């Protein structure tokens, strides 16, 4: 009897340099070599095929903040940028710190997300981390060592408690490390000076020193080389806005460049890029705010920039400019996040999740109008990037030439998950 096959990606240039046909059956790669007999074939000759990206740091918002983003708009934005798994952050309003709100969040995602998802849980003093872990929290955090939008910074004692409890659960803490100073926050230059690279690097060191129980740590959005160096054997993440944007590119009063940690001067950015090999994960810290919110006076304007859709496209162009190898792009956008989180990997081997982005040669100029986030703007306006023409998730085409088709998104719970998926409810972020 002939082996089953649902889809073939033909003439795929593998990272090894070999060209092969990838046959897919029931959501997984079933053969790499000559194509199996199959009703659906996508010819990838001349294209770049990448495993679907896992964006470990996405603020999907929803609920009272659905005017900025919700599961439907954020997940479409992810897919259109070649991201097939998003990891949602818990600084929602209200914060995701009770088992009930966690389970409700999973139900909201299941009703409305177009892409696969995992959900992190947050922390406030007295919250039951163990219950959140059993409900399926992927990781704890981002844990705020310093205040940011919609998040208070934890005290040293609180931080010590989280690290020790999560260590006993065998979980992962993802850390927002910063050490903000006091003073007027009037423009991007003062924002950078008030939340300086040295403070971030010192905060990384302090969190590691506090971690005497050896909790597994992942440092989010490192904005300078010293922070990366201070991370020891913890994993570290960097964002496209810290790697590809510099302070000098913005008018100092432009709140669109306001983000925590801040966008740094060009010299700092360059040193961060020079540590690319040591950076484990590229993640977007997709933090959608509307332009109306950003137009407030500088000190009131929220911090954060949208970026889930532009992350892989910008990085692929960076790679095509010979700044980084393609294998490292695949590693940091897909393999490493899967390994760190325990998500089944996507890729080119038999048994891998059949999630792929197919990218044409050549690039385009980024224009906010072509993006799908409800934020409706991008800090990368005018940059060159290569967007996928086709995105495959679980062996199904979910995005093609600008059109979305519903696939079968799944929830990836964390390792502590016990029990069944929550029942469907009338989640408030539900979309058609
Ligand atoms: O700039 C930021 N915005 N940094 C964060 O850590 C949070 C984020 C947000 O949620 O808007
Ligand atoms: Zn953060």
């Amino acid at each position: 009897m002939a082996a089953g096959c649902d889809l073939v990606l033909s003439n795929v240039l593998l990272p090894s340099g070999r060209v092969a046909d990838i046959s897919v059956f029931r959501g997984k790669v079933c053969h790499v070599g000559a194509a199996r007999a199959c009703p659906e074939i996508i010819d990838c000759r001349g294209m770049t095929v990448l495993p679907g990206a896992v964006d470990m740091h996405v603020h999907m918002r929803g609920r009272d903040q659905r005017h900025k983003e919700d599961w439907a708009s954020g997940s479409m934005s992810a897919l259109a940028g070649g991201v097939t798994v998003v990891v949602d952050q818990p600084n929602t309003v209200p914060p995701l710190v009770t088992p009930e709100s966690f389970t409700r969040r999973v139900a909201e995602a299941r009703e409305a997300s177009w892409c696969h998802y995992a959900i992190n849980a947050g922390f406030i003093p007295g919250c039951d981390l163990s219950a959140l872990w059993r409900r399926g929290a992927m990781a704890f955090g981002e844990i705020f060592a310093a205040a940011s939008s919609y998040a208070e910074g934890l005290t040293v004692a609180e931080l010590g408690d989280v690290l020790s409890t999560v260590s006993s659960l065998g979980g992962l803490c993802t850390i927002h490390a910063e050490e903000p100073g006091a003073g007027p926050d009037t423009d991007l230059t003062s924002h950078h000076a008030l939340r300086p690279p040295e403070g971030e690097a010192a905060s990384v060191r302090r969190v590691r020193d506090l971690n005497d129980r050896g909790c597994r740590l992942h440092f989010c959005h490192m904005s300078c080389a010293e922070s990366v160096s201070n991370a020891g054997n913890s994993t570290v993440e960097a964002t496209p806005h810290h790697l590809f944007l510099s302070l000098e590119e913005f008018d100092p009063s432009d709140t669109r460049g306001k983000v925590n940690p801040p966008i740094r001067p060009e010299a700092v950015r360059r040193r961060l890029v020079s540590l690319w090999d040591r950076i484990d994960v590229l993640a977007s810290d997709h933090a959608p705010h509307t332009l109306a919110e950003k137009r407030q006076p500088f000190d009131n304007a929220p911090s954060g920039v949208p970026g889930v859709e532009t992350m892989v496209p910008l990085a692929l162009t960076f790679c095509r400019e010979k700044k980084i190898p393609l294998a490292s792009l695949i590693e940091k956008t897909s393999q490493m996040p899967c390994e760190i989180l325990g998500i089944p990997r996507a890729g080119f081997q038999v048994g891998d999740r059949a999630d792929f982005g197919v990218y044409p040669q050549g690039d385009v100029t980024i224009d906010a109008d072509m993006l799908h986030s409800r934020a409706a703007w991008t800090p990368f306006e005018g940059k060159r990037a290569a967007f996928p023409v086709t995105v495959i998730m679980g062996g199904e085409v979910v995005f093609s030439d600008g059109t979305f088709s519903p696939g079968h998104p799944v929830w990836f719970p964390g390792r502590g998950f016990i029990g069944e998926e929550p029942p469907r409810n009338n989640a408030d972020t539900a979309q058609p």
Side-chain angles (χ1 to χ4, degrees):
M1 199 174 77
C5 184
D6 300 322
L7 174 71
V8 167
L9 302 186
S10 66
N11 303 304
V12 174
L13 176 62
L14 302 175
S16 63
R18 176 184 166 213
V19 175
D21 302 329
I22 298 181
S23 302
V24 172
F25 186 51
R26 295 190 176 145
K28 292 189 173 162
V29 173
C30 65
H31 186 71
V32 179
R36 294 235 167 118
C38 188
E40 194 176 356
I41 299 175
I42 298 175
D43 187 2
C44 299
R45 188 187 303 273
M47 304 283 198
T48 303
V49 179
L50 299 178
V54 176
D55 189 341
M56 269 184 77
H57 198 136
V58 174
H59 299 268
M60 278 295 191
R61 314 285 191 212
R63 302 187 179 177
D64 290 349
Q65 296 185 309
R66 59 196 302 180
H67 63 284
K68 296 177 195 269
E69 196 77 286
D70 65 14
W71 278 100
S73 58
S75 61
M76 286 172 141
S77 189
L79 286 181
V83 171
T84 56
V85 184
V86 293
V87 182
D88 180 44
Q89 301 299 311
N91 62 332
T92 44
V93 177
L96 215 60
V97 291
T98 65
E100 296 71 31
S101 66
F102 184 85
T103 297
R104 181 165 158 243
R105 187 79 175 157
V106 177
E108 288 166 2
R110 189 164 71 182
E111 292 295 322
S113 184
W114 289 70
C115 69
H116 300 320
Y117 48 92
I119 300 173
N120 286 357
F123 171 84
I124 52 165
C127 81
D128 187 346
L129 294 175
S130 162
L132 288 160
W133 185 232
R134 289 195 304 271
R135 292 282 174 126
M138 173 50 81
F140 294 93
E142 53 182 305
I143 298 288
F144 287 85
S148 189
S149 297
Y150 316 116
E152 299 297 327
L154 300 187
T155 64
V156 171
E158 289 164 353
L159 207 46
D161 277 356
V162 185
L163 296 178
S164 125
T165 308
V166 174
S167 152
S168 66
L169 295 171
L172 171 73
C173 269
T174 69
I175 309 286
H176 178 127
E178 274 195 283
E179 202 174 69
D185 194 8
T186 51
D187 62 15
L188 292 174
T189 309
S190 61
H191 194 64
H192 152 67
L194 283 170
R195 308 179 75 109
E198 302 76 40
E200 180 187 276
S203 171
V204 168
R205 161 92 35 223
R206 268 190 302 110
V207 172
R208 282 187 57 219
D209 288 347
L210 259 179
N211 187 27
D212 49 8
R213 300 275 296 274
C215 182
R216 208 151 58 88
L217 297 180
H218 172 82
F219 286 99
C220 304
H221 44 50
M222 301 278 77
S223 70
C224 67
E226 295 71 23
S227 300
V228 175
S229 305
N230 280 1
N233 58 6
S234 308
T235 53
V236 299
E237 158 191 311
T239 68
H241 48 277
H242 293 119
L243 289 165
F244 305 140
L245 296 177
S246 54
L247 187 54
E248 293 85 345
E249 290 175 69
F250 288 85
D251 180 301
S253 65
D254 189 349
T255 53
R256 286 176 303 177
K258 185 181 177 193
V259 59
N260 298 328
I263 291 172
R264 304 300 187 189
E266 175 65 6
V268 178
R269 182 194 76 82
R270 278 175 182 269
R271 284 202 302 278
L272 178 67
V273 172
S274 75
L275 291 192
W276 173 255
D277 287 347
R278 166 63 187 94
I279 292 164
D280 299 284
V281 169
L282 183 66
S284 70
D285 191 7
H286 178 75
H289 301 289
T290 63
L291 278 177
E293 291 161 333
K294 281 288 198 182
R295 280 196 195 108
Q296 296 173 77
F298 194 91
D299 58 344
N300 271 340
S303 296
V305 296
V308 67
E309 187 166 345
T310 43
M311 176 176 77
V312 179
L314 285 163
L316 181 54
T317 292
F318 199 56
C319 173
R320 287 174 174 172
E321 289 167 351
K322 307 267 182 278
K323 309 260 181 49
I324 52 170
L326 188 66
S328 75
L329 173 58
I330 294 173
E331 180 189 294
K332 294 171 205 306
T333 58
S334 189
Q335 291 166 349
M336 277 305 283
C338 285
E339 199 167 298
I340 292 167
L341 300 172
I343 291 174
R345 51 172 270 162
F348 304 116
Q349 290 174 23
V350 171
D352 284 351
R353 235 171 351 102
D355 288 14
F356 299 100
V358 182
Y359 298 77
Q361 291 308 317
D363 49 15
V364 297
T365 302
I366 296 179
D367 169 352
D369 287 347
M370 65 202 229
L371 304 177
H372 299 81
S373 166
R374 200 161 287 159
W377 64 279
T378 169
F380 301 104
E381 187 87 34
K383 299 269 180 206
R384 305 291 295 175
F387 289 85
V389 65
T390 304
V391 177
I392 291 142
M393 185 177 78
E396 297 177 291
V397 174
V398 288
F399 179 76
S400 181
D401 288 322
T403 301
F404 295 90
S405 314
H408 294 84
V410 300
W411 174 40
F412 293 113
R415 294 177 178 128
F417 179 57
I418 294 171
E420 300 298 315
E421 260 194 69
R424 287 182 183 278
N425 69 2
N426 50 353
D428 63 7
T429 56
Q431 297 283 317

